[in-house]
Amino acid sequence: MNKGGSAVNETDKKTLLQVENLSIGFTQYVKGTQRRTIQPISDLNVDIKEGEIVAVVGASGSGKSLLAHAVLGILPGNAICKGTILYKGRELTERKKEQLRGNEISFIPQSVNYLDPLMRVGKQVQIGLNKKTAQTKQNELFTRYGLKASDGRLFPFELSGGMLRRVLFATSVREGVKLVIADEPTPGIHPEALSEILKQLAEFTKDGAGVMLITHDIISALEIAHRVAVIKDGRTMEIADSKAFQGKGEGLKEAYTRRLWNALPQNEFAFE
Ligand SMILES: Nc1ncnc2c1ncn2[C@@H]1O[C@H](COP(=O)(O)OP(=O)(O)OP(=O)(O)O)[C@@H](O)[C@H]1O
Ligand SMILES: [Mg+2]
């Protein structure tokens, strides 16, 4: 697949998102009044350029969704978030996050529970669209993602998991989107739809948007990603060019990343 298909020259690309030294902790109350702090993210760094797809990979619980939520400004109230998040070179304040969320910055959440259970899915896809053309656009998006236009009248509980994921995807397609954050957009999706989703993510970059693709599926991500950020226990271990993920991973800098790569079924589960 053409990586991102962007016409912009690599060296000319501007940094869209820069996350530096991000740390996220939670204060929890145990036994009523005793407080303790847990620190799932301690030193995360990642950057995304215009027209670039950066895959964020890491084990379950390594902090991938928290990273996404921090950029979007949707962390829970008890989260203590420190570090720097720059968007187009400027600090992304909580206010700015709220303004951009669902417009310039779009989100494909990991869980289908983000959909409103009491609202027909078609209406949910129409949120934020121009009222006059919303219905046509929704029909168009549903057809593009292998749903029937009439499925728009259904409520979330009437759709299968795979269909709901496609609805979520449709809610992320908006004019003027500059940054797409996709949190595991592909689980439960059959191979044909998977390649369609990857193609659609790559489509976003044609107009210069950047994509953060959070996934467990490194092999699929490598089909479209330019770089891969490897996260372990809330820290960035390495940000490598996608090209480094080949052979025995000789081009990868960190032993952890090489182990991760060689442990994939496609690479014979080889442990160093
Ligand atoms: N609201 C919260 N309060 C306390 N701890 C939390 C909260 N949300 C997440 N965590 C913890 O932070 C860590 C990272 O969670 P996160 O959801 O970012 O993982 P992830 O990498 O997205 O995992 P997965 O691949 O399973 O989706 C986990 O240990 C999780 O338990
Ligand atoms: Mg997650």
PDB file of all heavy atoms in Angstrom, residues 209-235:
ATOM      1  N   ALA A 209      -3.550  15.351   6.872  1.00  0.00           N
ATOM      2  CA  ALA A 209      -3.852  15.030   8.270  1.00  0.00           C
ATOM      3  C   ALA A 209      -2.828  14.033   8.805  1.00  0.00           C
ATOM      4  O   ALA A 209      -2.216  13.293   8.042  1.00  0.00           O
ATOM      5  CB  ALA A 209      -5.259  14.445   8.386  1.00  0.00           C
ATOM      6  N   GLY A 210      -2.636  14.058  10.111  1.00  0.00           N
ATOM      7  CA  GLY A 210      -1.769  13.080  10.761  1.00  0.00           C
ATOM      8  C   GLY A 210      -2.642  12.033  11.438  1.00  0.00           C
ATOM      9  O   GLY A 210      -3.792  12.319  11.786  1.00  0.00           O
ATOM     10  N   VAL A 211      -2.125  10.837  11.591  1.00  0.00           N
ATOM     11  CA  VAL A 211      -2.903   9.767  12.212  1.00  0.00           C
ATOM     12  C   VAL A 211      -2.092   9.093  13.312  1.00  0.00           C
ATOM     13  O   VAL A 211      -0.930   8.737  13.105  1.00  0.00           O
ATOM     14  CB  VAL A 211      -3.322   8.687  11.168  1.00  0.00           C
ATOM     15  CG1 VAL A 211      -4.034   7.517  11.840  1.00  0.00           C
ATOM     16  CG2 VAL A 211      -4.189   9.283  10.074  1.00  0.00           C
ATOM     17  N   MET A 212      -2.718   8.969  14.489  1.00  0.00           N
ATOM     18  CA  MET A 212      -2.133   8.134  15.549  1.00  0.00           C
ATOM     19  C   MET A 212      -2.927   6.843  15.546  1.00  0.00           C
ATOM     20  O   MET A 212      -4.122   6.843  15.833  1.00  0.00           O
ATOM     21  CB  MET A 212      -2.258   8.833  16.907  1.00  0.00           C
ATOM     22  CG  MET A 212      -1.660   8.010  18.042  1.00  0.00           C
ATOM     23  SD  MET A 212      -2.067   8.664  19.681  1.00  0.00           S
ATOM     24  CE  MET A 212      -1.038  10.106  19.752  1.00  0.00           C
ATOM     25  N   LEU A 213      -2.261   5.764  15.171  1.00  0.00           N
ATOM     26  CA  LEU A 213      -2.942   4.477  15.082  1.00  0.00           C
ATOM     27  C   LEU A 213      -2.496   3.585  16.242  1.00  0.00           C
ATOM     28  O   LEU A 213      -1.397   3.040  16.249  1.00  0.00           O
ATOM     29  CB  LEU A 213      -2.617   3.810  13.732  1.00  0.00           C
ATOM     30  CG  LEU A 213      -3.020   2.345  13.564  1.00  0.00           C
ATOM     31  CD1 LEU A 213      -4.512   2.148  13.775  1.00  0.00           C
ATOM     32  CD2 LEU A 213      -2.622   1.837  12.181  1.00  0.00           C
ATOM     33  N   ILE A 214      -3.386   3.477  17.234  1.00  0.00           N
ATOM     34  CA  ILE A 214      -3.078   2.653  18.401  1.00  0.00           C
ATOM     35  C   ILE A 214      -3.517   1.228  18.114  1.00  0.00           C
ATOM     36  O   ILE A 214      -4.659   1.003  17.711  1.00  0.00           O
ATOM     37  CB  ILE A 214      -3.838   3.210  19.623  1.00  0.00           C
ATOM     38  CG1 ILE A 214      -3.306   4.607  19.961  1.00  0.00           C
ATOM     39  CG2 ILE A 214      -3.720   2.264  20.812  1.00  0.00           C
ATOM     40  CD1 ILE A 214      -4.074   5.320  21.038  1.00  0.00           C
ATOM     41  N   THR A 215      -2.609   0.297  18.284  1.00  0.00           N
ATOM     42  CA  THR A 215      -2.989  -1.075  17.925  1.00  0.00           C
ATOM     43  C   THR A 215      -2.097  -2.122  18.562  1.00  0.00           C
ATOM     44  O   THR A 215      -0.969  -1.847  18.975  1.00  0.00           O
ATOM     45  CB  THR A 215      -2.972  -1.244  16.384  1.00  0.00           C
ATOM     46  OG1 THR A 215      -3.418  -2.550  16.053  1.00  0.00           O
ATOM     47  CG2 THR A 215      -1.585  -1.033  15.798  1.00  0.00           C
ATOM     48  N   HIS A 216      -2.627  -3.347  18.642  1.00  0.00           N
ATOM     49  CA  HIS A 216      -1.818  -4.499  19.031  1.00  0.00           C
ATOM     50  C   HIS A 216      -1.243  -5.159  17.777  1.00  0.00           C
ATOM     51  O   HIS A 216      -0.350  -5.976  17.858  1.00  0.00           O
ATOM     52  CB  HIS A 216      -2.697  -5.554  19.719  1.00  0.00           C
ATOM     53  CG  HIS A 216      -3.007  -5.241  21.138  1.00  0.00           C
ATOM     54  ND1 HIS A 216      -4.213  -4.741  21.541  1.00  0.00           N
ATOM     55  CD2 HIS A 216      -2.250  -5.347  22.248  1.00  0.00           C
ATOM     56  CE1 HIS A 216      -4.186  -4.570  22.846  1.00  0.00           C
ATOM     57  NE2 HIS A 216      -3.015  -4.920  23.304  1.00  0.00           N
ATOM     58  N   ASP A 217      -1.847  -4.820  16.663  1.00  0.00           N
ATOM     59  CA  ASP A 217      -1.561  -5.528  15.415  1.00  0.00           C
ATOM     60  C   ASP A 217      -0.445  -4.819  14.633  1.00  0.00           C
ATOM     61  O   ASP A 217      -0.705  -4.046  13.713  1.00  0.00           O
ATOM     62  CB  ASP A 217      -2.877  -5.586  14.607  1.00  0.00           C
ATOM     63  CG  ASP A 217      -2.736  -6.413  13.339  1.00  0.00           C
ATOM     64  OD1 ASP A 217      -1.616  -6.887  13.048  1.00  0.00           O
ATOM     65  OD2 ASP A 217      -3.762  -6.568  12.651  1.00  0.00           O
ATOM     66  N   ILE A 218       0.800  -5.099  15.009  1.00  0.00           N
ATOM     67  CA  ILE A 218       1.938  -4.408  14.383  1.00  0.00           C
ATOM     68  C   ILE A 218       1.983  -4.694  12.884  1.00  0.00           C
ATOM     69  O   ILE A 218       2.236  -3.798  12.091  1.00  0.00           O
ATOM     70  CB  ILE A 218       3.290  -4.861  15.003  1.00  0.00           C
ATOM     71  CG1 ILE A 218       3.293  -4.614  16.503  1.00  0.00           C
ATOM     72  CG2 ILE A 218       4.463  -4.129  14.359  1.00  0.00           C
ATOM     73  CD1 ILE A 218       4.627  -4.918  17.161  1.00  0.00           C
ATOM     74  N   ILE A 219       1.726  -5.940  12.532  1.00  0.00           N
ATOM     75  CA  ILE A 219       1.848  -6.339  11.127  1.00  0.00           C
ATOM     76  C   ILE A 219       0.910  -5.500  10.253  1.00  0.00           C
ATOM     77  O   ILE A 219       1.322  -4.952   9.230  1.00  0.00           O
ATOM     78  CB  ILE A 219       1.554  -7.852  10.955  1.00  0.00           C
ATOM     79  CG1 ILE A 219       2.535  -8.684  11.786  1.00  0.00           C
ATOM     80  CG2 ILE A 219       1.577  -8.269   9.489  1.00  0.00           C
ATOM     81  CD1 ILE A 219       3.967  -8.704  11.298  1.00  0.00           C
ATOM     82  N   SER A 220      -0.352  -5.373  10.670  1.00  0.00           N
ATOM     83  CA  SER A 220      -1.295  -4.558   9.892  1.00  0.00           C
ATOM     84  C   SER A 220      -0.871  -3.096   9.906  1.00  0.00           C
ATOM     85  O   SER A 220      -0.920  -2.412   8.886  1.00  0.00           O
ATOM     86  CB  SER A 220      -2.707  -4.656  10.464  1.00  0.00           C
ATOM     87  OG  SER A 220      -3.188  -5.950  10.307  1.00  0.00           O
ATOM     88  N   ALA A 221      -0.461  -2.615  11.082  1.00  0.00           N
ATOM     89  CA  ALA A 221      -0.074  -1.205  11.200  1.00  0.00           C
ATOM     90  C   ALA A 221       1.070  -0.871  10.242  1.00  0.00           C
ATOM     91  O   ALA A 221       1.083   0.202   9.623  1.00  0.00           O
ATOM     92  CB  ALA A 221       0.338  -0.891  12.633  1.00  0.00           C
ATOM     93  N   LEU A 222       1.997  -1.813  10.100  1.00  0.00           N
ATOM     94  CA  LEU A 222       3.154  -1.555   9.234  1.00  0.00           C
ATOM     95  C   LEU A 222       2.766  -1.363   7.770  1.00  0.00           C
ATOM     96  O   LEU A 222       3.516  -0.778   7.002  1.00  0.00           O
ATOM     97  CB  LEU A 222       4.172  -2.699   9.345  1.00  0.00           C
ATOM     98  CG  LEU A 222       4.974  -2.739  10.650  1.00  0.00           C
ATOM     99  CD1 LEU A 222       5.803  -4.005  10.726  1.00  0.00           C
ATOM    100  CD2 LEU A 222       5.844  -1.497  10.794  1.00  0.00           C
ATOM    101  N   GLU A 223       1.574  -1.840   7.415  1.00  0.00           N
ATOM    102  CA  GLU A 223       1.122  -1.653   6.029  1.00  0.00           C
ATOM    103  C   GLU A 223       0.948  -0.177   5.706  1.00  0.00           C
ATOM    104  O   GLU A 223       1.096   0.240   4.572  1.00  0.00           O
ATOM    105  CB  GLU A 223      -0.219  -2.356   5.807  1.00  0.00           C
ATOM    106  CG  GLU A 223      -0.092  -3.845   5.609  1.00  0.00           C
ATOM    107  CD  GLU A 223      -1.424  -4.445   5.229  1.00  0.00           C
ATOM    108  OE1 GLU A 223      -2.204  -3.797   4.492  1.00  0.00           O
ATOM    109  OE2 GLU A 223      -1.702  -5.558   5.699  1.00  0.00           O
ATOM    110  N   ILE A 224       0.589   0.623   6.721  1.00  0.00           N
ATOM    111  CA  ILE A 224       0.325   2.037   6.431  1.00  0.00           C
ATOM    112  C   ILE A 224       1.179   3.019   7.245  1.00  0.00           C
ATOM    113  O   ILE A 224       1.311   4.174   6.846  1.00  0.00           O
ATOM    114  CB  ILE A 224      -1.179   2.399   6.629  1.00  0.00           C
ATOM    115  CG1 ILE A 224      -1.632   2.072   8.061  1.00  0.00           C
ATOM    116  CG2 ILE A 224      -2.051   1.705   5.598  1.00  0.00           C
ATOM    117  CD1 ILE A 224      -2.951   2.739   8.413  1.00  0.00           C
ATOM    118  N   ALA A 225       1.735   2.560   8.372  1.00  0.00           N
ATOM    119  CA  ALA A 225       2.425   3.504   9.259  1.00  0.00           C
ATOM    120  C   ALA A 225       3.791   3.907   8.709  1.00  0.00           C
ATOM    121  O   ALA A 225       4.491   3.106   8.108  1.00  0.00           O
ATOM    122  CB  ALA A 225       2.581   2.899  10.643  1.00  0.00           C
ATOM    123  N   HIS A 226       4.142   5.160   8.940  1.00  0.00           N
ATOM    124  CA  HIS A 226       5.484   5.622   8.577  1.00  0.00           C
ATOM    125  C   HIS A 226       6.462   5.313   9.702  1.00  0.00           C
ATOM    126  O   HIS A 226       7.585   4.927   9.475  1.00  0.00           O
ATOM    127  CB  HIS A 226       5.474   7.130   8.312  1.00  0.00           C
ATOM    128  CG  HIS A 226       4.568   7.521   7.188  1.00  0.00           C
ATOM    129  ND1 HIS A 226       3.247   7.809   7.374  1.00  0.00           N
ATOM    130  CD2 HIS A 226       4.800   7.631   5.861  1.00  0.00           C
ATOM    131  CE1 HIS A 226       2.699   8.112   6.202  1.00  0.00           C
ATOM    132  NE2 HIS A 226       3.615   8.005   5.272  1.00  0.00           N
ATOM    133  N   ARG A 227       5.990   5.545  10.943  1.00  0.00           N
ATOM    134  CA  ARG A 227       6.839   5.251  12.107  1.00  0.00           C
ATOM    135  C   ARG A 227       6.023   4.500  13.148  1.00  0.00           C
ATOM    136  O   ARG A 227       4.783   4.555  13.139  1.00  0.00           O
ATOM    137  CB  ARG A 227       7.371   6.555  12.716  1.00  0.00           C
ATOM    138  CG  ARG A 227       8.439   7.206  11.838  1.00  0.00           C
ATOM    139  CD  ARG A 227       9.040   8.412  12.517  1.00  0.00           C
ATOM    140  NE  ARG A 227       8.046   9.454  12.723  1.00  0.00           N
ATOM    141  CZ  ARG A 227       8.022  10.272  13.764  1.00  0.00           C
ATOM    142  NH1 ARG A 227       8.928  10.167  14.716  1.00  0.00           N
ATOM    143  NH2 ARG A 227       7.092  11.205  13.871  1.00  0.00           N
ATOM    144  N   VAL A 228       6.738   3.848  14.041  1.00  0.00           N
ATOM    145  CA  VAL A 228       6.079   3.081  15.092  1.00  0.00           C
ATOM    146  C   VAL A 228       6.669   3.496  16.443  1.00  0.00           C
ATOM    147  O   VAL A 228       7.887   3.463  16.626  1.00  0.00           O
ATOM    148  CB  VAL A 228       6.297   1.556  14.892  1.00  0.00           C
ATOM    149  CG1 VAL A 228       5.638   0.756  16.017  1.00  0.00           C
ATOM    150  CG2 VAL A 228       5.773   1.104  13.530  1.00  0.00           C
ATOM    151  N   ALA A 229       5.796   3.908  17.355  1.00  0.00           N
ATOM    152  CA  ALA A 229       6.243   4.221  18.715  1.00  0.00           C
ATOM    153  C   ALA A 229       5.930   3.017  19.589  1.00  0.00           C
ATOM    154  O   ALA A 229       4.789   2.558  19.640  1.00  0.00           O
ATOM    155  CB  ALA A 229       5.515   5.461  19.226  1.00  0.00           C
ATOM    156  N   VAL A 230       6.954   2.496  20.227  1.00  0.00           N
ATOM    157  CA  VAL A 230       6.767   1.316  21.064  1.00  0.00           C
ATOM    158  C   VAL A 230       6.714   1.753  22.522  1.00  0.00           C
ATOM    159  O   VAL A 230       7.638   2.399  23.033  1.00  0.00           O
ATOM    160  CB  VAL A 230       7.907   0.299  20.839  1.00  0.00           C
ATOM    161  CG1 VAL A 230       7.704  -0.928  21.721  1.00  0.00           C
ATOM    162  CG2 VAL A 230       7.965  -0.105  19.371  1.00  0.00           C
ATOM    163  N   ILE A 231       5.605   1.414  23.177  1.00  0.00           N
ATOM    164  CA  ILE A 231       5.361   1.842  24.559  1.00  0.00           C
ATOM    165  C   ILE A 231       5.465   0.636  25.482  1.00  0.00           C
ATOM    166  O   ILE A 231       4.919  -0.427  25.175  1.00  0.00           O
ATOM    167  CB  ILE A 231       3.928   2.419  24.700  1.00  0.00           C
ATOM    168  CG1 ILE A 231       3.587   3.408  23.595  1.00  0.00           C
ATOM    169  CG2 ILE A 231       3.668   2.985  26.083  1.00  0.00           C
ATOM    170  CD1 ILE A 231       4.273   4.714  23.679  1.00  0.00           C
ATOM    171  N   LYS A 232       6.136   0.827  26.600  1.00  0.00           N
ATOM    172  CA  LYS A 232       6.167  -0.244  27.615  1.00  0.00           C
ATOM    173  C   LYS A 232       5.990   0.402  28.988  1.00  0.00           C
ATOM    174  O   LYS A 232       6.710   1.351  29.321  1.00  0.00           O
ATOM    175  CB  LYS A 232       7.501  -0.982  27.549  1.00  0.00           C
ATOM    176  CG  LYS A 232       7.621  -2.108  28.557  1.00  0.00           C
ATOM    177  CD  LYS A 232       8.961  -2.817  28.397  1.00  0.00           C
ATOM    178  CE  LYS A 232       9.067  -3.985  29.323  1.00  0.00           C
ATOM    179  NZ  LYS A 232       9.559  -3.583  30.659  1.00  0.00           N
ATOM    180  N   ASP A 233       5.041  -0.098  29.744  1.00  0.00           N
ATOM    181  CA  ASP A 233       4.784   0.412  31.101  1.00  0.00           C
ATOM    182  C   ASP A 233       4.776   1.936  31.165  1.00  0.00           C
ATOM    183  O   ASP A 233       5.411   2.539  32.040  1.00  0.00           O
ATOM    184  CB  ASP A 233       5.844  -0.122  32.079  1.00  0.00           C
ATOM    185  CG  ASP A 233       5.830  -1.640  32.144  1.00  0.00           C
ATOM    186  OD1 ASP A 233       4.769  -2.217  31.885  1.00  0.00           O
ATOM    187  OD2 ASP A 233       6.889  -2.231  32.436  1.00  0.00           O
ATOM    188  N   GLY A 234       4.079   2.563  30.243  1.00  0.00           N
ATOM    189  CA  GLY A 234       3.931   4.004  30.278  1.00  0.00           C
ATOM    190  C   GLY A 234       5.153   4.799  29.869  1.00  0.00           C
ATOM    191  O   GLY A 234       5.262   5.988  30.171  1.00  0.00           O
ATOM    192  N   ARG A 235       6.099   4.152  29.213  1.00  0.00           N
ATOM    193  CA  ARG A 235       7.290   4.857  28.699  1.00  0.00           C
ATOM    194  C   ARG A 235       7.470   4.552  27.229  1.00  0.00           C
ATOM    195  O   ARG A 235       7.185   3.452  26.785  1.00  0.00           O
ATOM    196  CB  ARG A 235       8.562   4.362  29.399  1.00  0.00           C
ATOM    197  CG  ARG A 235       8.679   4.783  30.818  1.00  0.00           C
ATOM    198  CD  ARG A 235       9.850   4.045  31.464  1.00  0.00           C
ATOM    199  NE  ARG A 235       9.806   4.242  32.894  1.00  0.00           N
ATOM    200  CZ  ARG A 235      10.380   5.266  33.510  1.00  0.00           C
ATOM    201  NH1 ARG A 235      11.073   6.145  32.832  1.00  0.00           N
ATOM    202  NH2 ARG A 235      10.261   5.424  34.801  1.00  0.00           N
TER     203      ARG A 235
END
